[in-house]
Amino acid sequence: AAACPVTAPVSGAAGFDPFGEAYQADPAGSLRWSRDGEPVFYSPELGYWVVTRYEDVKAVFRDNVLFSPSIALEKITPVCEEATETLARYGYAMDRTLVNEDEPAHMARRRALIDPFTPARLAHHEPMVRRLAREYVDSFADAGKADLVDDMFWEVTLTVALHFLGVPEEDMATLRKYSIAHTVNTWGRPSRDEQVAVAEAVGKFWQFAGTVLDKIRRDPSGPGWMPYSIRLQREMPEVITDSYLHSMMMAGIVAAHETTANAAANAVKVLLENRTVWEEICADPSLIPYAVEECLRHNGSVAAWRRLATADTEVGGVPIPRGAKLLIVNASANHDERHFEHADEFDLRRDNAADHLTFGYGSHQCMGKNLARMELQIFLEELTRRLPHLELAGDQQITYLPNTSFRGPDHLWVQWDPAANPERTDP
Ligand code: HEM
């Protein structure tokens, strides 16, 4: 039967709204119509071609010359003049980092800078992540309720990010204030007033990132990815440019922080909604790495990414003109039945869970993926061990920051009976 034209929600390309509630709460579900009927469509509202099937999203990621990542950090909402002026006043000049750099510059830089991400180097961070996770669980274990976002994930992932980058301890508090503004600035749809406020915060973030960078430059002998990059700049100044360093000093914090905080909240939410799975990982923590991968697939924290077509081409049989902008929806690809059987189900033993596209794919695939996996694994180990009787607080309305790409609940309230904490009953 035909849907009632008066009450039916606007569906199809014209109704696609990546700043609306349906997309925020469930990007894959809100795009099922597309995967099933029109897997590549033009969104007039956004001015982007939207790609939603697994094979097509992967194909776009795979060819980073035909589909350039140069627009990955461009503001998706054109800003008003006042906001532009505000950013200019702060000398804001976010430019190419890695994620939005074209070849051959990108690969030369990525190869030069990859060493701090190798498993052996990452292992150094494990005790810090474990200690932080324990301290934060300690701080609320007796309370019986917590907002896991504000009370743990947001803080721990930021501290880990700042340590990984090598930010001096005394500057961490200031940087903490700014990071969210970049997400709204880049992937959000702020109103005029918000644009100016966000521009102020982004401008201050940019300037402060520069100050911190200068400080590290004066003594780059310390640990961390930014001091490492500065040391390397002496050998290859044309690969590791000043513009790169300043841009990465700011973008790197967001890349390492919000993505991972969101991933942790998304993971706990979906696990508690699938109680038997939660109980299984409580009983057998060796299953946690599988749970992490399936959480990243089922409820990942990067919902969509962007590419620019550099020549006339086609995606999934649909002609795409040179200069077209593409929004490739990883979250939709991750729920594509054509690749993942019973894709909407959470399956701890899914044999191809790691095929998910939450970290992207190909030559730009997330460099921090194993750091993120380590954090998620440790958080789940600590929470399942200390608070296996954890449950989602029933009376909460879960909200998301409206933006195309970075996805996680603003708050995640959980509750438990502290009298039943295992450490009390079996110390
Ligand atoms: C790139 C997701 C955590 C650093 C990316 C990309 C995605 C992504 C989608 C673009 C991939 C592409 O274009 O193919 C995530 C998610 C995370 C996470 C979902 C957490 C769950 C981290 C962490 C770091 C990090 C902890 C640590 C610094 C980077 C870097 C790139 C990148 C440097 C650029 C790589 C390149 O262009 O060669 N990430 N990320 N990410 N990520 Fe992550």
Side-chain angles (χ1 to χ4, degrees):
C4 167
V6 179
T7 55
V10 191
S11 68
F16 175 63
D17 177 10
F19 308 101
E21 265 171 50
Y23 175 85
Q24 303 301 325
D26 179 10
S30 78
L31 282 164
R32 176 184 303 284
W33 66 269
S34 163
R35 287 194 301 283
D36 289 348
E38 200 183 350
V40 179
F41 67 91
Y42 184 73
S43 161
E45 156 86 4
L46 211 55
Y48 275 70
W49 293 83
V50 183
V51 182
T52 62
R53 276 191 190 165
Y54 185 87
E55 280 311 322
D56 296 337
V57 171
K58 193 167 178 172
V60 174
F61 269 124
R62 185 184 291 126
D63 191 340
N64 66 320
V65 175
L66 183 55
F67 300 107
S68 157
S70 56
I71 60 168
L73 301 181
E74 198 173 84
K75 290 186 232 355
I76 203 162
T77 301
V79 290
C80 64
E81 221 169 278
E82 209 183 332
T84 308
E85 281 164 14
T86 304
L87 288 171
R89 199 155 29 80
Y90 285 102
Y92 179 70
M94 171 65 71
D95 200 351
R96 303 297 179 101
T97 53
L98 281 160
V99 83
N100 59 350
E101 183 64 279
D102 284 312
E103 301 307 346
H106 161 259
M107 248 323 152
R109 198 176 285 154
R110 179 170 167 124
R111 281 209 191 94
L113 295 176
I114 197 98
D115 189 63
F117 293 93
T118 54
R121 299 257 177 250
L122 290 179
H124 290 296
H125 298 289
E126 184 168 344
M128 168 193 50
V129 179
R130 177 87 55 195
R131 176 179 55 77
L132 286 166
R134 287 192 174 158
E135 278 172 18
Y136 278 84
V137 176
D138 281 344
S139 74
F140 56 64
D142 287 331
K145 66 177 183 0
D147 169 6
L148 288 181
V149 176
D150 279 0
D151 296 340
M152 179 171 177
F153 298 148
W154 196 257
E155 295 299 318
V156 179
T157 54
L158 179 55
T159 308
V160 173
L162 295 173
H163 277 286
F164 177 80
L165 291 168
V167 170
E169 294 271 350
E170 68 273 16
D171 296 320
M172 290 187 177
T174 312
L175 284 174
R176 255 168 219 280
K177 294 192 301 201
Y178 298 135
S179 57
I180 191 85
H182 178 63
T183 300
V184 178
N185 185 47
T186 309
W187 296 284
R189 181 136 293 188
S191 67
R192 262 188 87 90
D193 287 351
E194 281 167 336
Q195 285 178 19
V196 178
V198 164
E200 279 289 338
V202 167
K204 292 198 175 105
F205 189 0
W206 173 257
Q207 278 199 341
F208 194 70
T211 309
V212 171
L213 190 65
D214 288 342
K215 188 191 272 185
I216 304 176
R217 267 187 207 287
R218 287 196 290 276
D219 177 14
S221 64
W225 196 37
M226 295 310 294
Y228 177 86
S229 308
I230 289 170
R231 293 196 297 272
L232 220 57
Q233 191 188 30
R234 294 176 187 158
E235 291 163 41
M236 39 177 79
E238 69 296 338
V239 174
I240 299 163
T241 59
D242 287 343
S243 162
Y244 164 75
L245 287 173
H246 195 160
S247 297
M248 187 52 100
M249 189 70 239
M250 176 168 160
I253 295 174
V254 181
H257 171 219
E258 289 174 38
T259 51
T260 315
N262 284 332
N266 288 340
V268 172
K269 178 172 179 287
V270 72
L271 288 168
L272 293 178
E273 285 167 349
N274 289 271
R275 190 81 207 172
T276 49
V277 180
W278 174 261
E279 281 165 9
E280 260 186 284
I281 63 171
C282 288
D284 182 0
S286 72
L287 294 170
I288 287 175
Y290 302 97
V292 164
E293 225 47 46
E294 178 68 345
C295 287
L296 285 165
R297 181 196 71 85
H298 191 282
N299 205 19
S301 55
V302 171
W305 211 242
R306 288 180 285 166
R307 292 286 194 259
L308 176 73
T310 57
D312 290 345
T313 181
E314 59 171 61
V315 175
V318 176
I320 300 286
R322 173 168 186 263
K325 294 177 173 186
L326 280 73
L327 185 76
I328 46 178
V329 190
N330 341 21
S332 170
N334 289 344
H335 280 252
D336 189 344
E337 296 283 346
R338 292 154 202 82
H339 192 84
F340 298 104
E341 221 177 295
H342 307 297
D344 291 339
E345 279 171 28
F346 191 99
D347 180 357
L348 196 48
R349 292 174 179 80
R350 184 180 294 282
D351 57 14
N352 65 350
D355 286 356
H356 69 74
L357 300 175
T358 300
F359 291 125
Y361 180 76
S363 51
H364 284 270
Q365 198 187 42
C366 180
M367 284 164 81
K369 62 185 179 177
N370 291 327
L371 177 58
R373 284 178 170 130
M374 181 211 289
E375 292 184 60
L376 296 173
Q377 204 173 310
I378 290 175
F379 297 163
L380 291 181
E381 282 167 7
E382 293 301 318
L383 287 169
T384 51
R385 186 171 63 81
R386 304 277 302 275
L387 303 171
H389 48 327
L390 199 66
E391 50 185 49
L392 288 174
D395 54 351
Q396 62 186 323
Q397 188 73 36
I398 293 201
T399 57
Y400 296 83
L401 184 74
N403 80 97
T404 54
S405 297
F406 280 21
R407 180 177 169 276
D410 295 321
H411 302 282
L412 189 69
W413 282 98
V414 290
Q415 61 192 26
W416 64 95
D417 175 8
N421 287 4
E423 58 217 32
R424 286 206 192 171
T425 50
D426 183 19

